[in-house]
């Protein structure tokens, strides 16, 4: 077949209940260009590998499977992503898309729409879209994610716009980005790699190489998977780790973004996050201590947070 224009990165681990939705989203894409999906099963203990094999046999020009006998996620030196990146590089694709095995695409024209946008503007490094939200059984929870960007306003966003966003986040399952500067980007990503905010650091690194286009259309479904790392991790540990993560991200930003790096190193706001984390875990002594530290180190941010919380409560 011709060299694919897009290579999809799909990481799978024990995604058997959801995997068919994910793979169906790939093979149903209607495009004017060839694309492939690198589907990496990290030694799942369920029947994920069998499902991947079924689709690889049925769609050999799209599904490229990788089966591990040992779980690479638990091994040191980032061997999991090195393996996946090597497979992506081998395709020679111009663009990379991401969708993990428990999420899925809902729009058969997703890739075509995003590639049309990226091909029309060389200043763009990536294109993202909106997403709906479903539960583990696929039942719709939210028709459309609110405020992915400010007011869900479609258009071009640079790194400064990113930090003005309500959540500083894009829907991971929707991204398509240019496969350029990959050695530099991956080196920086390894420096910032963490189990809590991996996607967040990737967005910032990509933004330092170009602008994003946000397409305000729902093209994918984000699944709230109760067994995923995001939902099982200790909230306090996540809040504490955010300080180191921010410093690591600041380290890899180019000199032209020294102002952003300086802001990232000012991590007194972590005490605000710890207040909510301790509260969620009903560890009130820690919550009170974090409140005292926030009142001392970042009183303006604390007062703003309190006012916003009171305003939301009054609306309900």
């Amino acid at each position: 077949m011709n060299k694919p224009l897009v290579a999809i990165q799909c990481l799978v681990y024990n995604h058997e209940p959801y995997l068919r939705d994910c793979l169906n989203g790939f093979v149903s894409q209607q495009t004017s260009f060839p694309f492939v999906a690198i589907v990496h099963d990290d030694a799942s203990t369920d029947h994920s590998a069998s499902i991947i094999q079924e689709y690889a046999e049925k769609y050999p020009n799209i599904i490229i499977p990788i089966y591990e006998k040992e779980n690479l996620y638990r091994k040191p030196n980032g061997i999991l992503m090195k393996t996946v990146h090597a497979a992506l590089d081998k395709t020679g694709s111009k663009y990379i898309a991401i969708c993990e095995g428990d999420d899925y695409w809902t729009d058969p024209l997703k890739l075509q729409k995003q590639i049309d946008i990226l091909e029309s503007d060389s200043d763009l490094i990536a294109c993202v879209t909106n997403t709906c939200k479903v539960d583990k059984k696929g039942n719709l929870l939210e028709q459309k994610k609110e405020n992915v960007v400010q007011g869900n306003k479609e258009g071009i966003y640079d790194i400064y716009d990113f930090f003005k966003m309500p959540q500083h986040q894009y829907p991971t399952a929707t991204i398509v980005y240019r496969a350029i500067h990959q050695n530099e980007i991956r080196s920086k990503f390894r420096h910032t790699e963490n189990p809590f905010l991996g996607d967040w650091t990737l967005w910032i690194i990509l933004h330092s190489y170009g602008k994003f286009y946000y397409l305000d259309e729902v093209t994918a479904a984000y699944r709230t998977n109760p067994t995923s790392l995001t939902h099982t991790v200790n909230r306090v540990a996540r809040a504490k780790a955010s300080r180191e993560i921010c410093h690591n991200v600041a380290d890899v930003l180019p000199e032209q973004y020294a102002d952003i790096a300086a802001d990232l190193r000012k991590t007194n706001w972590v005490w605000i996050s710890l207040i909510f984390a301790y509260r969620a875990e009903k560890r009130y002594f820690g919550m009170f201590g974090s409140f005292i530290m926030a009142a001392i180190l970042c009183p303006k941010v604390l007062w703003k947070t309190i006012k916003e919380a009171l305003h939301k409560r009054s609306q309900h």
Side-chain angles (χ1 to χ4, degrees), residues 93-132:
S93 65
K94 185 177 178 179
Y95 297 97
I96 296 173
I98 298 177
C99 185
E100 297 191 354
D102 53 349
D103 296 327
Y104 59 97
W105 295 346
T106 58
D107 184 349
L109 297 176
K110 174 190 181 295
L111 286 181
Q112 186 68 58
K113 292 174 180 178
Q114 291 178 284
I115 293 302
D116 286 346
I117 291 170
L118 289 166
E119 288 283 270
S120 68
D121 189 343
S122 59
D123 288 338
L124 297 173
I125 188 72
C127 180
V128 293
T129 79
N130 209 321
T131 180
C132 64

Short mmCIF file of all heavy atoms in Angstrom, two decimals, residues 93-132:
data_model
loop_
_atom_site.label_atom_id
_atom_site.label_comp_id
_atom_site.label_asym_id
_atom_site.label_seq_id
_atom_site.Cartn_x
_atom_site.Cartn_y
_atom_site.Cartn_z
N SER A 93 4.63 8.14 8.41
CA SER A 93 3.45 9.01 8.29
C SER A 93 3.79 10.46 8.57
O SER A 93 4.71 10.78 9.33
CB SER A 93 2.35 8.55 9.26
OG SER A 93 2.78 8.71 10.60
N LYS A 94 3.04 11.35 7.98
CA LYS A 94 3.22 12.79 8.16
C LYS A 94 2.53 13.28 9.43
O LYS A 94 2.94 14.29 10.02
CB LYS A 94 2.65 13.54 6.95
CG LYS A 94 2.88 15.04 6.96
CD LYS A 94 2.33 15.68 5.68
CE LYS A 94 2.51 17.19 5.67
NZ LYS A 94 1.99 17.80 4.43
N TYR A 95 1.49 12.55 9.86
CA TYR A 95 0.71 12.95 11.03
C TYR A 95 0.52 11.77 11.98
O TYR A 95 0.52 10.61 11.55
CB TYR A 95 -0.67 13.48 10.62
CG TYR A 95 -0.63 14.72 9.76
CD1 TYR A 95 -0.73 14.62 8.37
CD2 TYR A 95 -0.51 15.98 10.33
CE1 TYR A 95 -0.71 15.76 7.57
CE2 TYR A 95 -0.49 17.13 9.53
CZ TYR A 95 -0.59 17.01 8.17
OH TYR A 95 -0.55 18.13 7.38
N ILE A 96 0.33 12.10 13.27
CA ILE A 96 0.06 11.09 14.29
C ILE A 96 -1.24 11.45 14.99
O ILE A 96 -1.46 12.60 15.37
CB ILE A 96 1.20 11.01 15.32
CG1 ILE A 96 2.50 10.55 14.64
CG2 ILE A 96 0.84 10.06 16.47
CD1 ILE A 96 3.71 10.59 15.53
N ALA A 97 -2.10 10.46 15.16
CA ALA A 97 -3.34 10.62 15.93
C ALA A 97 -3.24 9.72 17.16
O ALA A 97 -2.47 8.75 17.18
CB ALA A 97 -4.55 10.23 15.09
N ILE A 98 -3.99 10.05 18.19
CA ILE A 98 -3.97 9.27 19.43
C ILE A 98 -5.39 8.88 19.82
O ILE A 98 -6.30 9.70 19.79
CB ILE A 98 -3.34 10.07 20.60
CG1 ILE A 98 -1.88 10.42 20.29
CG2 ILE A 98 -3.43 9.28 21.90
CD1 ILE A 98 -1.22 11.29 21.37
N CYS A 99 -5.57 7.62 20.18
CA CYS A 99 -6.83 7.16 20.78
C CYS A 99 -6.54 5.88 21.54
O CYS A 99 -6.15 4.87 20.94
CB CYS A 99 -7.90 6.92 19.71
SG CYS A 99 -9.51 6.47 20.42
N GLU A 100 -6.69 5.91 22.84
CA GLU A 100 -6.42 4.71 23.64
C GLU A 100 -7.60 3.76 23.57
O GLU A 100 -8.71 4.13 23.18
CB GLU A 100 -6.09 5.11 25.08
CG GLU A 100 -4.83 5.94 25.17
CD GLU A 100 -4.33 6.11 26.59
OE1 GLU A 100 -5.02 5.69 27.54
OE2 GLU A 100 -3.22 6.67 26.75
N GLY A 101 -7.33 2.53 23.99
CA GLY A 101 -8.28 1.44 23.76
C GLY A 101 -9.60 1.52 24.46
O GLY A 101 -10.52 0.77 24.12
N ASP A 102 -9.75 2.41 25.44
CA ASP A 102 -11.04 2.52 26.12
C ASP A 102 -11.85 3.74 25.67
O ASP A 102 -12.96 3.97 26.14
CB ASP A 102 -10.88 2.53 27.64
CG ASP A 102 -9.90 3.58 28.13
OD1 ASP A 102 -9.19 4.17 27.30
OD2 ASP A 102 -9.83 3.81 29.35
N ASP A 103 -11.28 4.54 24.75
CA ASP A 103 -12.02 5.64 24.12
C ASP A 103 -12.36 5.23 22.69
O ASP A 103 -11.91 4.19 22.21
CB ASP A 103 -11.20 6.92 24.12
CG ASP A 103 -10.92 7.43 25.53
OD1 ASP A 103 -11.79 7.25 26.41
OD2 ASP A 103 -9.83 7.99 25.76
N TYR A 104 -13.13 6.05 21.98
CA TYR A 104 -13.44 5.70 20.59
C TYR A 104 -13.90 6.93 19.82
O TYR A 104 -14.32 7.93 20.40
CB TYR A 104 -14.49 4.59 20.51
CG TYR A 104 -15.83 4.89 21.15
CD1 TYR A 104 -16.91 5.35 20.39
CD2 TYR A 104 -16.04 4.70 22.51
CE1 TYR A 104 -18.14 5.60 20.96
CE2 TYR A 104 -17.27 4.95 23.10
CZ TYR A 104 -18.31 5.40 22.32
OH TYR A 104 -19.54 5.66 22.90
N TRP A 105 -13.77 6.82 18.49
CA TRP A 105 -14.18 7.89 17.58
C TRP A 105 -15.62 7.67 17.15
O TRP A 105 -16.05 6.54 16.90
CB TRP A 105 -13.27 7.94 16.37
CG TRP A 105 -11.84 8.30 16.72
CD1 TRP A 105 -11.39 8.82 17.90
CD2 TRP A 105 -10.70 8.18 15.87
NE1 TRP A 105 -10.03 9.03 17.85
CE2 TRP A 105 -9.59 8.66 16.62
CE3 TRP A 105 -10.49 7.74 14.57
CZ2 TRP A 105 -8.29 8.68 16.08
CZ3 TRP A 105 -9.21 7.77 14.04
CH2 TRP A 105 -8.12 8.24 14.80
N THR A 106 -16.36 8.77 17.06
CA THR A 106 -17.79 8.68 16.72
C THR A 106 -18.10 9.25 15.34
O THR A 106 -19.19 9.04 14.83
CB THR A 106 -18.62 9.46 17.75
OG1 THR A 106 -18.18 10.83 17.78
CG2 THR A 106 -18.46 8.85 19.14
N ASP A 107 -17.16 9.98 14.75
CA ASP A 107 -17.39 10.62 13.46
C ASP A 107 -16.52 9.95 12.40
O ASP A 107 -15.29 10.00 12.48
CB ASP A 107 -17.02 12.11 13.57
CG ASP A 107 -17.33 12.89 12.30
OD1 ASP A 107 -17.63 12.26 11.26
OD2 ASP A 107 -17.27 14.14 12.33
N PRO A 108 -17.13 9.33 11.38
CA PRO A 108 -16.33 8.66 10.34
C PRO A 108 -15.50 9.62 9.49
O PRO A 108 -14.61 9.19 8.77
CB PRO A 108 -17.38 7.94 9.49
CG PRO A 108 -18.65 8.67 9.74
CD PRO A 108 -18.57 9.15 11.16
N LEU A 109 -15.78 10.92 9.59
CA LEU A 109 -15.01 11.92 8.84
C LEU A 109 -14.01 12.65 9.73
O LEU A 109 -13.44 13.67 9.31
CB LEU A 109 -15.96 12.94 8.18
CG LEU A 109 -16.93 12.37 7.14
CD1 LEU A 109 -17.87 13.47 6.66
CD2 LEU A 109 -16.18 11.75 5.97
N LYS A 110 -13.78 12.16 10.92
CA LYS A 110 -12.89 12.83 11.88
C LYS A 110 -11.52 13.13 11.28
O LYS A 110 -11.07 14.29 11.26
CB LYS A 110 -12.72 11.97 13.14
CG LYS A 110 -11.69 12.53 14.13
CD LYS A 110 -11.37 11.53 15.23
CE LYS A 110 -10.37 12.13 16.21
NZ LYS A 110 -9.05 12.38 15.60
N LEU A 111 -10.84 12.11 10.82
CA LEU A 111 -9.49 12.30 10.29
C LEU A 111 -9.49 13.21 9.07
O LEU A 111 -8.62 14.07 8.93
CB LEU A 111 -8.85 10.95 9.94
CG LEU A 111 -8.39 10.08 11.11
CD1 LEU A 111 -7.75 8.79 10.57
CD2 LEU A 111 -7.41 10.81 12.01
N GLN A 112 -10.45 13.03 8.18
CA GLN A 112 -10.50 13.83 6.97
C GLN A 112 -10.66 15.31 7.30
O GLN A 112 -9.98 16.17 6.73
CB GLN A 112 -11.66 13.38 6.08
CG GLN A 112 -11.69 14.07 4.72
CD GLN A 112 -10.52 13.66 3.83
OE1 GLN A 112 -10.34 12.49 3.53
NE2 GLN A 112 -9.72 14.64 3.42
N LYS A 113 -11.55 15.64 8.23
CA LYS A 113 -11.77 17.04 8.63
C LYS A 113 -10.50 17.65 9.21
O LYS A 113 -10.12 18.79 8.88
CB LYS A 113 -12.89 17.12 9.66
CG LYS A 113 -14.27 16.78 9.13
CD LYS A 113 -15.28 16.74 10.26
CE LYS A 113 -16.67 16.39 9.75
NZ LYS A 113 -17.67 16.30 10.86
N GLN A 114 -9.82 16.90 10.08
CA GLN A 114 -8.64 17.44 10.74
C GLN A 114 -7.46 17.58 9.78
O GLN A 114 -6.72 18.57 9.83
CB GLN A 114 -8.27 16.55 11.93
CG GLN A 114 -9.29 16.63 13.07
CD GLN A 114 -8.94 15.71 14.21
OE1 GLN A 114 -9.13 14.50 14.13
NE2 GLN A 114 -8.42 16.28 15.29
N ILE A 115 -7.28 16.61 8.91
CA ILE A 115 -6.18 16.70 7.94
C ILE A 115 -6.41 17.83 6.96
O ILE A 115 -5.47 18.55 6.58
CB ILE A 115 -6.00 15.35 7.21
CG1 ILE A 115 -5.52 14.27 8.20
CG2 ILE A 115 -5.02 15.50 6.06
CD1 ILE A 115 -4.21 14.61 8.90
N ASP A 116 -7.64 18.05 6.56
CA ASP A 116 -7.95 19.18 5.66
C ASP A 116 -7.53 20.50 6.31
O ASP A 116 -6.98 21.39 5.64
CB ASP A 116 -9.44 19.21 5.33
CG ASP A 116 -9.84 18.12 4.35
OD1 ASP A 116 -8.94 17.51 3.73
OD2 ASP A 116 -11.06 17.85 4.22
N ILE A 117 -7.78 20.63 7.60
CA ILE A 117 -7.41 21.85 8.32
C ILE A 117 -5.90 21.98 8.42
O ILE A 117 -5.33 23.04 8.14
CB ILE A 117 -8.04 21.85 9.73
CG1 ILE A 117 -9.56 22.01 9.63
CG2 ILE A 117 -7.43 22.94 10.61
CD1 ILE A 117 -10.29 21.79 10.93
N LEU A 118 -5.22 20.91 8.80
CA LEU A 118 -3.76 20.95 8.98
C LEU A 118 -3.04 21.17 7.65
O LEU A 118 -2.03 21.89 7.60
CB LEU A 118 -3.28 19.66 9.64
CG LEU A 118 -3.66 19.49 11.11
CD1 LEU A 118 -3.44 18.05 11.57
CD2 LEU A 118 -2.86 20.44 11.99
N GLU A 119 -3.53 20.58 6.59
CA GLU A 119 -2.89 20.72 5.29
C GLU A 119 -3.04 22.14 4.74
O GLU A 119 -2.26 22.57 3.90
CB GLU A 119 -3.47 19.72 4.29
CG GLU A 119 -3.06 18.28 4.54
CD GLU A 119 -1.64 17.98 4.07
OE1 GLU A 119 -1.48 17.59 2.92
OE2 GLU A 119 -0.70 18.17 4.89
N SER A 120 -4.05 22.86 5.23
CA SER A 120 -4.31 24.21 4.72
C SER A 120 -3.50 25.28 5.42
O SER A 120 -3.48 26.44 4.97
CB SER A 120 -5.81 24.53 4.86
OG SER A 120 -6.17 24.66 6.23
N ASP A 121 -2.82 24.94 6.53
CA ASP A 121 -2.08 25.95 7.30
C ASP A 121 -0.83 25.30 7.91
O ASP A 121 -0.92 24.57 8.89
CB ASP A 121 -2.97 26.52 8.41
CG ASP A 121 -2.34 27.72 9.11
OD1 ASP A 121 -1.11 27.92 8.98
OD2 ASP A 121 -3.07 28.45 9.81
N SER A 122 0.34 25.63 7.36
CA SER A 122 1.59 25.02 7.82
C SER A 122 2.03 25.51 9.19
O SER A 122 2.92 24.93 9.81
CB SER A 122 2.70 25.29 6.80
OG SER A 122 2.89 26.69 6.64
N ASP A 123 1.41 26.58 9.69
CA ASP A 123 1.75 27.08 11.03
C ASP A 123 1.12 26.23 12.13
O ASP A 123 1.49 26.35 13.30
CB ASP A 123 1.29 28.53 11.19
CG ASP A 123 2.14 29.51 10.40
OD1 ASP A 123 3.30 29.16 10.08
OD2 ASP A 123 1.65 30.61 10.09
N LEU A 124 0.17 25.39 11.77
CA LEU A 124 -0.50 24.56 12.76
C LEU A 124 0.32 23.31 13.05
O LEU A 124 0.76 22.62 12.13
CB LEU A 124 -1.89 24.15 12.26
CG LEU A 124 -2.90 25.28 12.04
CD1 LEU A 124 -4.17 24.73 11.39
CD2 LEU A 124 -3.24 25.97 13.35
N ILE A 125 0.50 23.00 14.32
CA ILE A 125 1.20 21.77 14.72
C ILE A 125 0.20 20.65 15.00
O ILE A 125 0.51 19.48 14.87
CB ILE A 125 2.08 22.01 15.97
CG1 ILE A 125 2.95 20.79 16.28
CG2 ILE A 125 1.22 22.33 17.21
CD1 ILE A 125 4.08 20.58 15.33
N ALA A 126 -1.05 21.03 15.35
CA ALA A 126 -2.03 20.01 15.74
C ALA A 126 -3.45 20.51 15.55
O ALA A 126 -3.71 21.71 15.47
CB ALA A 126 -1.82 19.61 17.20
N CYS A 127 -4.37 19.55 15.50
CA CYS A 127 -5.79 19.85 15.44
C CYS A 127 -6.51 18.97 16.46
O CYS A 127 -6.26 17.76 16.52
CB CYS A 127 -6.35 19.60 14.04
SG CYS A 127 -8.12 19.95 13.87
N VAL A 128 -7.37 19.58 17.27
CA VAL A 128 -8.17 18.85 18.25
C VAL A 128 -9.64 19.20 18.05
O VAL A 128 -9.97 20.18 17.39
CB VAL A 128 -7.74 19.19 19.69
CG1 VAL A 128 -6.35 18.67 19.98
CG2 VAL A 128 -7.81 20.70 19.95
N THR A 129 -10.51 18.39 18.63
CA THR A 129 -11.95 18.63 18.49
C THR A 129 -12.62 18.47 19.86
O THR A 129 -11.97 18.18 20.86
CB THR A 129 -12.59 17.64 17.50
OG1 THR A 129 -12.78 16.37 18.16
CG2 THR A 129 -11.74 17.45 16.26
N ASN A 130 -13.93 18.63 19.85
CA ASN A 130 -14.71 18.39 21.05
C ASN A 130 -15.01 16.89 21.16
O ASN A 130 -14.74 16.12 20.23
CB ASN A 130 -16.00 19.20 21.03
CG ASN A 130 -16.48 19.57 22.43
OD1 ASN A 130 -16.38 18.77 23.36
ND2 ASN A 130 -16.99 20.78 22.58
N THR A 131 -15.58 16.51 22.29
CA THR A 131 -15.88 15.11 22.54
C THR A 131 -17.13 14.99 23.41
O THR A 131 -17.48 15.93 24.14
CB THR A 131 -14.70 14.42 23.25
OG1 THR A 131 -15.00 13.04 23.49
CG2 THR A 131 -14.39 15.08 24.59
N CYS A 132 -17.80 13.86 23.33
CA CYS A 132 -18.87 13.58 24.28
C CYS A 132 -18.29 12.72 25.41
O CYS A 132 -17.12 12.35 25.38
CB CYS A 132 -20.03 12.87 23.60
SG CYS A 132 -19.64 11.22 22.95
#
